[in-house]
Amino acid sequence: MATAVHETTREEANASPPPENIVVRFAGDSGDGMQLTGGQFTLSTALAGNDLATFPDFPAEIRAPQGTLFGVSAFQINFGSSQIETAGDAPDVLVAMNPAALKTNVGSLKPGGLIIADEGEFGVRNLQKAQYEVSPLTDGSLAQWQLIAFNISQLTLDAVKPFGLGNKEALRCKNMWTLGLALWMFDRDREPLIQWLKDKFAKNPVLADANIAALNAGHAYGETAELGPSVRQHSIAAAPAEPGLYRTVTGAESIAMGLVAGAQLADVKMFFGGYPITPASAILHYLSRLKEFGVTTFQAEDEIAAVASAIGASYAGQLGVTSSSGPGIALKGEAIGLAIMTELPLVIVNSQRGGPSTGLPTKTEQSDLYQAVYGRNGDAPMPVIAARSPADAFECAIEAVRIATQFMTPVMLLTDGYIANAAEPWKVPDTTKLEPFPVKFLEAAPESGFKPYGRDAKLARPWVKPGTPGLLHRIGGIEKQVDTGHIDYAPGNHQAMTDLRAAKVNGIADHIPEQGVEIGETSGKLAVVGWGSTFGPIHQAVRRARAKGMDVHHIHLRHIWPMPKNMAVLLAGYEHILVPEMNTGQLKTVLRDQFLVDAKPLNKVSGQPFRIAEIEAAIEAALG
């Protein structure tokens, strides 16, 4: 058959220059291996030198009913030859493995975008599960898009027939067939994935060979079948990048490596106490592989035991770390208060998800900001840091360790489901250029006598390992006496200790950078203020708006509590402030509370990240 590779003439190339970026979404049943497909396509894209950002989106159920609308799993990747900061607003290409995947995702596809559908799955039963009366592949309802439908299921069965697999086992290779076609479409090398399959199925070479055959068959189909002008090879040039060593990281990987780096820079061993919860569990998984760096991991029987064990480790002279999502952070609340009362270093990672209660376990949200800043009994201030992207989480984890150990305080590091699961390229830092902040344990009583709650210039109390001769002291959750640490209920003492704990946390503002402006100037008509994973869409929306001549500027917070010292003056320089958040307006309230500014909210609680267009429209509305 004739090749489907489009021979581009010079005139056509000038009329239609290659795109700078392409957004592809793989969608199918939660058993179709879409996350694996997306992950391996991401690997091939990174090896091709493209910049990229990904968005895995999957059901909360471990195995939702097959073929149903709520059982759809999707993986979106935005890749290109220019800077990529989001997973993309709308896909250019949708690969739909069944009717439910098509129905739940086609509305997001760009007008004129390409649908590749497995018509072998569009039988009567699957159509009914997806609430289609007739097949959308034949009724004209998809006319606004380009549609290519062929029987991927049968083509996969044909490709793996020589290996003697059962029908069910053979169809599990369908995702590799689809991946092979995608690798052909975007001119990707198959060899790294072939080697990966050999390694993955080293103990079952038949499965390895079957999956490789499916991968090669999908690639060959693209090469040899006449699929029409809408399906042709696209070559995306490598993105410009500074020289150095790069790897792709998810937020969970980045946090794990950042915590280890922080512990190394502090020159202490690390103890991680955790309990499995979506989407935070991956941090425990990654840290458990890093024992050679002085990391001890402990999977506790519940959330309370997890945080309590981490506090115990900090008391014993290691860096205690724990992680969870909103429901687990709520359970840890009383123990976090204990760490604040005892003034021990503790890092708490909160990978936020949709709430309240169980809520939306696999969907993203930013609705734990109140919980992080205000959510404990009593006056219990605690520093709060927010990562903006998977790669940024590495630096934020180091910063959390620095503040915790230098100020003897718990620190909460906020990420979310999007950051935890998404991936992007990361330039591996030169570790020799990371500034150490070694911990100094008190090992002997000063001449003036040992004061367990005596304080240094930063108002931090000394860190004493239990059993150190001459440094015996009380510790616990009942109010402590100034300096001595004895139990003391006196009204004046409680006032003094409450004020000291607050002053210590507020004083951290003297030891963090002043707030900068990401795009724009320090004054103007409109500042878009964000935090966390909204960075990418805000950055791109502000960039587009400024290209149209709009007076708009982007400020993005890493230090949520305390905020940088120049925030009041900085915010006062703008006529209007817009705060996009994946909640009902929590940072907006904190800004109003702290700086009396009339910040306006832009809220989204759909479990999906902001699209660039949504923020761009809000900017235009704010500027009239």
Side-chain angles (χ1 to χ4, degrees):
M1 299 187 66
T3 178
V5 177
H6 183 68
E7 299 297 334
T8 306
T9 66
R10 182 173 297 174
E11 290 76 18
E12 288 175 318
N14 291 335
S16 303
E20 287 190 354
N21 71 292
I22 291 178
V23 180
V24 179
R25 183 180 296 178
F26 300 94
D29 191 75
S30 59
D32 284 338
M34 292 297 94
Q35 303 305 317
L36 181 65
T37 302
Q40 292 306 306
F41 187 78
T42 298
L43 173 63
S44 69
T45 299
L47 291 172
N50 298 134
D51 199 6
L52 63 93
T54 70
F55 175 47
D57 190 18
F58 41 86
E61 293 86 355
I62 292 173
R63 188 65 180 90
Q66 191 170 3
T68 58
L69 295 173
F70 53 88
V72 173
S73 178
F75 187 102
Q76 183 163 308
I77 176 171
N78 182 12
F79 60 96
S81 58
S82 58
Q83 186 178 15
I84 302 294
E85 291 173 329
T86 77
D89 273 15
D92 299 283
V93 179
L94 170 63
V95 180
M97 303 299 286
N98 64 12
L102 178 66
K103 187 159 195 173
T104 56
N105 288 279
V106 72
S108 301
L109 191 64
K110 287 180 180 175
L114 173 64
I115 300 168
I116 298 175
D118 178 9
E119 66 181 7
E121 291 293 319
F122 280 70
V124 173
R125 188 178 178 190
N126 278 349
L127 289 169
Q128 289 175 344
K129 288 181 180 179
Q131 300 174 17
Y132 280 119
E133 294 183 5
V134 295
S135 174
L137 304 183
T138 57
D139 68 355
S141 61
L142 305 177
Q144 62 178 301
W145 299 287
Q146 303 172 70
L147 173 64
I148 297 291
F150 43 86
N151 196 331
I152 296 175
S153 298
Q154 187 58 53
L155 290 166
T156 302
L157 291 173
D158 294 343
V160 303
K161 188 175 181 180
F163 302 97
L165 301 179
N167 207 55
K168 184 177 180 180
E169 206 166 27
L171 284 175
R172 286 178 179 163
C173 301
K174 193 165 59 170
N175 63 334
M176 286 297 112
W177 194 100
T178 306
L179 180 58
L181 178 64
L183 294 179
W184 171 81
M185 282 182 65
F186 300 105
D187 196 18
R188 299 282 182 255
D189 185 8
R190 282 170 287 163
E191 285 308 313
L193 301 186
I194 290 172
Q195 186 58 51
W196 176 81
L197 286 167
K198 289 179 178 178
D199 294 340
K200 180 177 177 62
F201 296 110
K203 295 181 180 179
N204 194 335
V206 173
L207 279 182
D209 291 342
N211 278 279
I212 291 168
L215 182 80
N216 289 333
H219 194 278
Y221 191 84
E223 287 182 313
T224 58
E226 186 62 71
L227 299 176
S230 57
V231 181
R232 58 185 179 86
Q233 260 190 334
H234 297 267
S235 292
I236 305 294
E242 296 177 4
L245 176 65
Y246 286 80
R247 60 162 293 179
T248 301
V249 290
T250 65
E253 290 175 306
S254 185
I255 285 172
M257 289 186 287
L259 290 169
V260 171
Q264 296 278 313
L265 294 169
D267 195 22
V268 290
K269 292 184 177 180
M270 188 177 89
F271 177 93
F272 181 92
Y275 179 75
I277 184 171
T278 303
S281 302
I283 298 172
L284 171 59
H285 300 161
Y286 291 123
L287 284 173
S288 67
R289 306 168 192 166
L290 302 175
K291 295 181 177 66
E292 67 269 28
F293 295 104
V295 178
T296 300
T297 53
F298 169 57
Q299 181 173 314
E301 66 270 27
D302 56 44
E303 294 282 8
I304 299 171
V307 65
S309 66
I311 294 170
S314 290
Y315 173 59
Q318 295 193 11
L319 173 66
V321 181
T322 190
S323 81
S324 192
S325 298
I329 298 297
L331 290 168
K332 295 178 192 287
E334 168 61 10
I336 293 171
L338 172 64
I340 291 170
M341 168 66 75
T342 55
E343 299 188 50
L344 287 168
L346 176 70
V347 176
I348 306 132
V349 183
N350 182 353
S351 300
Q352 301 165 96
R353 69 191 207 188
S357 188
T358 303
L360 309 173
T362 60
K363 308 302 179 184
T364 195
E365 208 164 272
Q366 292 180 299
S367 52
D368 294 349
L369 189 67
Y370 286 161
Q371 185 182 44
V373 174
Y374 304 120
R376 289 160 296 283
N377 68 292
D379 282 296
M382 179 174 65
V384 179
I385 298 170
R388 65 173 59 174
S389 69
D392 183 57
F394 176 80
E395 292 184 12
C396 289
I398 293 176
E399 178 71 344
V401 174
R402 181 186 74 85
I403 291 175
T405 55
Q406 296 298 297
F407 291 86
M408 293 294 286
T409 179
V411 178
M412 187 170 289
L413 172 57
L414 295 174
T415 69
D416 57 40
Y418 174 70
I419 290 176
N421 294 317
E424 66 178 356
W426 174 57
K427 184 180 179 182
V428 179
D430 180 352
T431 55
T432 63
K433 294 182 179 178
L434 297 176
E435 186 175 349
F437 40 86
V439 164
K440 294 179 180 178
F441 292 99
L442 186 63
E443 296 178 343
E447 291 183 6
S448 58
F450 174 45
K451 297 178 180 178
Y453 280 80
R455 300 176 186 276
D456 63 15
K458 296 177 181 176
L459 298 182
R461 80 174 188 89
W463 196 357
V464 180
K465 293 183 181 180
T468 305
L471 302 182
L472 187 69
H473 62 286
R474 292 178 177 84
I475 196 162
I478 300 179
E479 183 62 278
K480 299 294 175 284
Q481 189 177 73
V482 173
D483 291 340
T484 70
H486 300 325
I487 293 172
D488 193 334
Y489 294 97
N493 180 74
H494 181 55
Q495 180 77 54
M497 287 296 280
T498 300
D499 292 343
L500 280 168
R501 288 189 290 263
K504 179 176 71 170
V505 172
N506 290 336
I508 292 170
D510 293 326
H511 301 272
I512 60 176
E514 289 195 343
Q515 181 62 46
V517 179
E518 304 295 335
I519 302 180
E521 292 77 47
T522 56
S523 63
K525 285 189 177 179
L526 176 65
V528 184
V529 181
W531 68 281
S533 64
T534 56
F535 176 83
I538 292 175
H539 207 61
Q540 292 286 5
V542 170
R543 181 179 293 162
R544 292 180 185 179
R546 287 178 64 84
K548 297 175 184 177
M550 297 182 188
D551 186 359
V552 58
H553 317 265
H554 178 198
I555 297 169
H556 215 79
L557 295 172
R558 170 180 285 182
H559 293 91
I560 304 291
W561 196 273
M563 289 193 186
K565 292 178 68 175
N566 65 324
M567 274 298 291
V569 174
L570 183 60
L571 295 178
Y574 303 98
E575 296 177 26
H576 305 284
I577 296 170
L578 177 68
V579 185
E581 300 179 83
M582 291 184 290
N583 56 44
T584 56
Q586 297 187 17
L587 179 63
K588 173 266 300 179
T589 301
V590 174
L591 292 176
R592 288 180 176 180
D593 165 32
Q594 292 297 298
F595 307 113
L596 300 178
V597 294
D598 187 21
K600 302 294 185 184
L602 173 63
N603 305 136
K604 183 173 184 176
V605 286
S606 64
Q608 302 292 314
F610 272 105
R611 292 184 293 113
I612 300 168
E614 292 171 330
I615 298 176
E616 198 173 3
I619 290 170
E620 293 176 1
L623 291 173

